[in-house]
Amino acid sequence: MKWIGRRQSENVEDRRGMSGGGKAIIGGGAIGIIVLLLQLFGGETGQNIGNILEQTNGQQSQQTTQTESRPLTEEEKEIGAFVSTVFADTEDIWAKIFQENNLEYRQPKMVLFTEAVETACGSATSASGPFYCPGDEKVYMDLAFFNELQTRFGAKGGDFAIAYVIAHEVGHHIQTVMRTSNKVRQLQQNQNQTQANKLSVALELQADFYAGLWAKYNQENLDMDDLDEALSAAQAVGDDAIQSRTQGHVEPDSFTHGTSEQRKYWFMKGFKTGDIRQGDTFAEIN
């Protein structure tokens, strides 16, 4: 992706290398990996992420206080500049899309952190993966996650895999601004678990559609391999791919994010159509 020398967002708060400012539940070993997989691309459930980690970790959890800080490496500074540029692109493009549809865009913020962070949705660790918190309208990312995406989940390396994740999480912000996520949470309260999961899948696939739509509007800054990197990341984080890797079989009724094929399909539908009105993933729920 072409990004060097372009505008960087003023809405990025870089807390990497800083004290976490309190205690956080830290999951260890295989349990931490499982939580990361379950919480991948966190979505916008409004749940307390710290509670999820604590419940999953059970008696093996421990409380750790972060007190140290350190300077960022040159590599960390460079990736920070990159994500800030991508975030600026989301600001410009979504403001344009909203204006085209006679809507007013409200910009989110992004927080970069190391190991643990406090949010309006509760305490979270790196094991949560990237996520969006509707309580403070912020995207939270520990950038070490992208090493996991490549080494553990088999995604291709490359900067656009990171851009895809950012665009997906901003997609959840779009759902907050348009009150889609609020309506989904209300519907889920009156559904059984299987139907509630299907609504979650539709919400996540719509965020993928929004990521593809953003890529369409940003294609002048894309390189030849960028779409392949995004599709590889989508392939890696499909529910079927994750379940196959972690438990050896898939349970479709438990899916909350969609299959690999669904995630790739909706990302590409956003990219190919370039039309926000084509993103009704809920119409396909059965």
Side-chain angles (χ1 to χ4, degrees), residues 42-44 108 121 130-134 137-140 169 172-173 176:
E44 197 220 52
C121 296
F131 63 95
Y132 170 77
C133 173
E137 299 192 355
K138 293 181 179 180
V139 173
Y140 289 88
E169 298 305 336
H172 287 304
H173 177 67
T176 294

Side-chain angles (χ1 to χ4, degrees), residues 39 44 91 96 111 121-122 134 136 149 151 167 218 227 243 281:
Q39 288 301 107
E44 197 220 52
E91 294 167 347
K96 176 181 175 66
V111 176
C121 296
D136 52 22
L149 189 64
T151 59
N218 200 33
L227 290 184
Q243 289 187 1
T281 54

Side-chain angles (χ1 to χ4, degrees), residues 116-135:
V117 69
E118 294 291 331
T119 83
C121 296
S123 301
T125 73
S126 300
S128 302
F131 63 95
Y132 170 77
C133 173

